[in-house]
Each structure stands twice: as C-alpha cells, then as structure tokens.
C-alpha cells in the first residue's frame, strides 16, 4: 500500500486487490428480515465457514427474534442454511468439535417458574444443518435460595424482580481456542459482591463451579471482566473495589479504589489486589495468552475519566505475584497525530488528556507484544426550537478517532498512533481492528474526500451507508501508517458493517456482513 498521500489507485476487479488481502464475496442473497447482524462465525475445517446471523423484530423496540445459520464453502458458495427462532433469547457462543456445530444459547422463559433462565447447546452435524438441544443450566424462578447448594443443574430462587444483578442472566466467555467456556452469573446481594462461575469443556462436561464472594457491598464493586485459560480451564476474575464506603474516585488527592484479581480452578482459589495511589484508572482488561497474564487499561494523572497514557500490570499466571507494572504516557508522535504540531499545542494543553475512550480489543501477538485498540465514542444531544414554541431533541452517536498502542513483552511502549476520523450514526461507522504478522489493520467505511489537516495529517470523513467505500488502514511494526481502498462503492451493491467484523480463530480471515435493505452478502478477507 502507498504511504499516506491523497492519491488512490483505481480498483481492479477480481479476487485479489492487494498484496495483503484476498477478497472473496458470496452471492447477493435476499434476507427475509431487513435488520440482521453477524453474531458468530466458525471455520468448518475445509476452508469454509459457518455464519450465525441474528435478526431483529418487534415495534417500537426491536429485539433479537431469531438467527440464520448458514454454511458456506471456501469460495463462499452457500451449502446449507436453517433458521432458528427465539422469543426471549440469544446465541452467546459457537464452536466445532468432532464435525459437529455447537451453539451456546441463552433462553429466558418469562412465564415458566420452573425454568425461568436456561443455557442450552444446539448441536448439529456439520454436513447437514439440523439441530438438537442439550441443556446445560436451568434456573428456576422459585428456588434461588437453594441455588448455591446445587452442583450440576443449579436453580435460582427469585422472590422479587431486582434480585438478579446487572449480569444476572449470565455471560458466556470462550477460551482462546474454544477448549473451554465459562458462564458467569453476577448475583444480587446488597451486602456482598457474589459471582457464580461454571466452567465447561468443549465436550460439554462441567469441570467445576465456584462462588466468588467479595466482602464488600455490591454497589462499591465494579466487575471488569473474566478470562478462561485455554490450556486448563482456570478462570481469572477482575474487578474494581471502591474504598471508604464511597464511589468517589479520589480521596485526599489519592485514588479511592483498588483492583482485585481472582484465579479459580477445580481445586483452588487465589486472590491478589493492587493499587496505584497517584494514577487514576477507569477499568482494566485481562489478557491471558502464550503463557502470559496481563491487566491492561488507560490511566489519568488527575482523574480517571481524562486519560494521559496506557498502563499494564504483568503477573505470574500461577500464583498471581506482580512481575512488573508500567505506565506509558501518550507519546509525542501520538499527540501530534491528534492535535497537530504547532497550532494544536494550545488545544492539547487545554484538554489535559483524552476522554470518551472505549476499548475495541486487545491482542497478544505471536512474539508476545500487545496491541491495544480503542476509539473515541460518545453521544451528544441537541435541542432546537421551532415555530410556535415547538422543541425537538436529536441524539447523535459519534465514532471519532482510532487509537492504537503497541507494547513490547516488558510492557514498554513501541509505538502509539492516533488516526483521525469523524463519523456519526451506527449503520456504517466505527471500525474492526485485526492484527496479523507484524501489522495491525483497521477496516473502516469512509468517503473518498479525505480531509487534509494541519501538520501533514489527514482525517477520514463520514459517509452515508449508500456511498460507503471500504478502506483498510495499516500500522507497521515500527508504527508507520498506510491505507488503501479495498472496495469501491461503485463495485458493490451493499455496504459492509465494519463495526462487528469477526476474526477467525486461526487469525487468517476476517468476515463482514454486507447489507442494503434486504440485500445481504458475506465478505471474507484472507491474509
């Protein structure tokens, strides 16, 4: 790809558009439902893929009403498809084992007291899509007090509507290569933070279940995330504990919280806490891969909502002892990317840091480096007055700059880049990040009218869904930025939903759903 200059090659037709990616498209197919999205994609072992697409229905509030499950060959020719309808439910995970497709399904039976919440696995032979159901967990509406005493098939007792916590209906976390998965329930208890974690292997056997209990009031504990070790099924549970019976982030100029990391397995539980009095961290994310365990996040020098750098805590995955902790301030290159060189220094000083940052993903590369990708994500509300005293309010969702960092195995910053963009709306905004080899890629929709900024910088501009061009931006091993148009809008009957592209487990492919009204298409980019 050419260096960043305002010059683009015209695209040629065919499967291969650049040296980096091979592009394969399915035929355009008509969806019976207008509003659909990619939920899961898994490789079939023969070069093909199985996609799970949810669709929305209902009025005025849309919710998931079912799924289209489709099997494509390596050339994205459709082999088979079925529709799976749900009432109140969703598919939360997918994997293939012994030539059988396994879909982990959450169901809420609102009017069934004996089985109010269930987790099932839908199982089908890969060569013929026809699913049977195996129950994993069933949760009764009338037995939550007995829940903690039951082993394999727990039943909740529920006397009132709010006894379940924010993750009360459970979340499913798959391990890296899908050898294990966990179902994590956050139980409502005003006086104690309690989570119940069930870990299964991919033979659908319950390996263990553990109650994680924290001696802190529920309102003073903020759950961050949970990771499952792909080698042995151990689970790592991370949360933020506020101190002094207060949710204030700062007390006497110091941070008023600490982080707690818990490791559980079949036979043991281990806990560690760590605190940074003079650094303010909103949240941390666990990264467990290649025998390494890290907790990664953004930090602020003055407060947790205005960030000044990226931090990493490297721990021993066996005993949770702290190996290193590193705080990397935003580099000069990064700040110049964002604000420019001379003219932007005043604005940079006024801002005193970055806000509205939302994690997209964290990837550990084969050499042990970490790539952290985030986005400026925020909402604005605009109120206008009209004739005759009328008032109208408009809510706008903004997806602005791409933020990316690469840390070496010791946690030191290798590069930090800010890629300027300005987008609004949810149809074709945001991006999907993807790292392979020594490069990190970002797939975005944008206009051909790239905006020139001060300091030899550029900004990718917003575009309507019907005029979306698919671009790829890359950052090399040493932090150099390139970009290229992959698909021109004139050569496509659909736009691609770049906000939820799905990466294959072998890290060799990325899958997008193309949409335009009821026209749909699957796009596969192979590295």
């Amino acid at each position: 790809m050419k260096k960043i200059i305002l010059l683009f090659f015209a695209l040629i037709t065919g499967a291969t558009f650049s040296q980096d990616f091979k592009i394969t498209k399915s035929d355009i197919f008509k969806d019976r439902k207008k509003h659909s999205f990619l939920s899961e994609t898994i490789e079939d072992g023969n070069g093909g893929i199985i996609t799970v697409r949810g669709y929305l229905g209902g009025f005025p509030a849309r919710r998931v009403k079912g799924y289209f499950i489709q099997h494509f060959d390596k050339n994205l020719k459709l082999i088979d498809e079925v529709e799976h309808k749900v009432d109140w439910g969703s598919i939360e995970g997918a994997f293939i084992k012994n030539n059988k497709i396994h879909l982990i399904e959450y169901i809420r039976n609102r009017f069934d007291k004996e089985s109010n919440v269930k987790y099932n696995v839908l199982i089908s032979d890969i060569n013929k899509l026809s699913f049977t159901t195996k129950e994993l967990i069933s949760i009764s509406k009338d037995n939550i007090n007995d829940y903690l005493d039951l082993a394999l098939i727990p039943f909740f007792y529920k006397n009132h509507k709010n006894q379940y916590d924010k993750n009360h209906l459970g979340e499913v976390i798959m391990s890296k290569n899908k050898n294990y998965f966990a179902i994590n329930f956050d139980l409502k208890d005003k006086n104690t933070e309690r989570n119940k974690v069930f870990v299964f292997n991919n033979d659908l056997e319950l390996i263990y279940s553990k109650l994680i209990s924290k001696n802190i009031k529920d309102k003073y504990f903020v759950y961050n995330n949970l990771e499952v070790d792909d080698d042995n099924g151990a689970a790592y549970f991370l949360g933020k504990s506020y101190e002094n019976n207060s949710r204030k982030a700062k007390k006497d100029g110091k941070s008023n919280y600490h982080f707690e990391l818990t490791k559980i397995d079949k036979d043991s539980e281990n806990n560690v806490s760590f605190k940074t009095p003079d650094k303010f961290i909103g949240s941390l994310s666990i990264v467990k891969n290649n025998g390494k365990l890290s907790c990664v996040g953004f930090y602020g020098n003055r407060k947790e909502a205005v960030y000044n750098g990226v931090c990493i805590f490297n721990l021993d995955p066996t005993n949770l002892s702290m190996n290193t902790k590193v705080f990397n301030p935003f580099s000069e290159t990064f700040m110049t990317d964002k604000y420019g060189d001379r003219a932007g220094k005043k604005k940079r000083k006024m801002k005193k840091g970055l806000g509205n940052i939302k994690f997209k993903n964290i990837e550990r590369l084969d050499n042990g480096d970490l790539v952290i990708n985030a986005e400026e994500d925020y909402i604005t509300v605009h109120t206008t007055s009209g004739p005759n005293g009328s008032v109208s309010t408009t809510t706008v969702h903004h997806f602005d700059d791409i933020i990316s960092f690469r840390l070496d195995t010791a946690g030191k910053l290798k590069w930090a880049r800010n890629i300027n963009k300005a987008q609004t709306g949810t149809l074709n905004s945001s991006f999907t990040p993807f790292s392979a080899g020594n490069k990190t890629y970002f797939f975005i929709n944008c206009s051909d009218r790239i905006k020139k900024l001060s300091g030899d910088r550029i900004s990718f501009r917003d575009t309507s869904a019907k005029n979306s061009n698919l671009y790829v931006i890359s950052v090399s091993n040493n932090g150099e930025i390139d970009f290229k148009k992959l698909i021109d809008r004139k050569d496509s009957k659909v736009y691609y939903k770049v906000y939820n592209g799905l990466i294959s487990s072998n890290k060799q492919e990325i899958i997008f759903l193309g949409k335009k009204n009821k026209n749909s298409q699957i796009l596969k980019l192979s590295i």
Side-chain angles (χ1 to χ4, degrees), residues 402-436:
I402 297 171
I403 296 167
S404 187
F405 305 87
R406 183 164 172 172
L407 310 181
D408 65 19
T409 55
K412 298 293 185 180
L413 186 68
K414 291 185 74 170
W415 53 253
R417 300 308 304 256
N418 184 92
I419 299 168
N420 294 277
K421 71 178 180 71
Q423 297 175 313
T424 58
T426 57
L427 273 181
N428 65 327
S429 298
S430 194
F431 68 97
T432 291
F434 172 50
S435 293

Side-chain angles (χ1 to χ4, degrees), residues 461-473:
R461 303 185 67 177
D462 201 2
T463 183
S464 65
K466 66 180 181 180
N467 290 320
S468 288
N469 304 287
L470 180 64
Y471 277 80
V472 60
I473 306 166

Side-chain angles (χ1 to χ4, degrees), residues 45-83:
N46 296 308
I49 59 171
I50 293 95
T51 62
V52 181
R53 291 187 298 113
Y55 60 82
L56 306 178
F59 183 83
R62 296 193 187 104
R63 58 184 173 86
V64 176
K65 301 291 288 185
Y67 291 85
F68 298 118
I69 302 159
Q70 296 175 302
H71 186 190
F72 296 90
D73 69 13
K74 64 180 181 180
N75 298 313
L76 292 186
K77 299 299 181 183
L78 185 62
I79 299 172
D80 197 5
E81 67 175 325
V82 295
E83 181 179 1

Side-chain angles (χ1 to χ4, degrees), residues 119-296:
Y119 277 88
N120 296 328
V121 177
L122 307 177
I123 304 171
S124 171
D125 189 278
I126 198 170
N127 297 312
K128 178 62 179 177
L129 296 181
S130 178
F131 287 89
T132 59
T133 300
K134 176 181 174 61
E135 184 178 289
L136 286 179
I137 295 176
S138 180
I139 303 167
S140 170
K141 196 174 184 179
D142 296 325
N143 261 337
I144 196 170
N145 286 339
D146 297 330
Y147 159 70
L148 298 179
D149 296 327
L150 296 181
L152 181 60
I153 306 297
F155 292 86
F156 282 86
Y157 187 82
K158 185 171 179 293
N159 292 319
H160 54 87
K161 186 175 181 180
N162 294 321
Q163 194 165 343
Y164 291 135
D165 208 340
K166 57 185 178 297
N167 294 324
H168 59 279
L169 300 180
E171 61 171 344
V172 176
I173 302 98
M174 307 290 299
S175 66
K176 177 188 175 184
N177 295 315
K178 303 186 178 182
N179 288 325
Y180 297 91
F181 63 92
I183 302 177
N184 173 34
F185 294 97
D186 191 348
L187 308 182
K188 185 71 174 181
D189 187 329
K190 290 183 178 180
N191 297 315
T192 307
E193 171 66 24
R194 297 189 304 158
N195 281 72
K196 186 74 173 185
V197 179
F198 297 85
V199 176
F200 296 83
N201 62 20
N202 58 15
D203 290 321
L204 307 183
E205 298 168 330
L206 179 67
I207 303 303
Y208 65 91
S209 64
K210 284 286 181 72
L211 174 69
I212 300 175
S213 182
K214 304 290 184 182
N215 188 24
I216 185 174
K217 289 185 176 181
D218 182 80
K219 64 181 179 180
Y220 298 133
F221 186 88
V222 179
Y223 166 70
N224 282 190
N225 72 320
L226 185 144
E227 281 288 308
V228 182
D229 193 309
D230 194 65
D231 295 324
N232 55 32
Y236 297 86
F237 177 94
L238 178 65
K240 182 177 182 179
S241 291
Y242 284 89
E243 302 166 352
N244 301 301
N245 294 320
S246 171
R247 283 291 295 263
K248 290 184 177 179
K250 185 185 293 188
K251 183 177 176 62
D252 298 328
K254 304 294 184 181
S255 61
N256 187 47
Y257 51 81
H258 61 272
F259 289 89
E260 296 189 15
L261 179 64
T262 299
K263 176 187 177 182
I264 58 173
D265 57 29
K266 184 177 180 180
D267 302 313
S268 64
E269 177 177 332
N270 194 9
N271 297 276
V272 67
S273 64
F274 47 95
K275 182 179 174 71
T276 57
D278 58 344
K279 304 293 184 185
F280 301 92
I281 304 169
S283 64
L284 293 172
S285 294
I286 304 170
V287 183
K288 174 67 174 68
N289 198 358
N290 299 340
K292 299 179 182 295
L293 175 66
S294 304
C295 297
V296 184

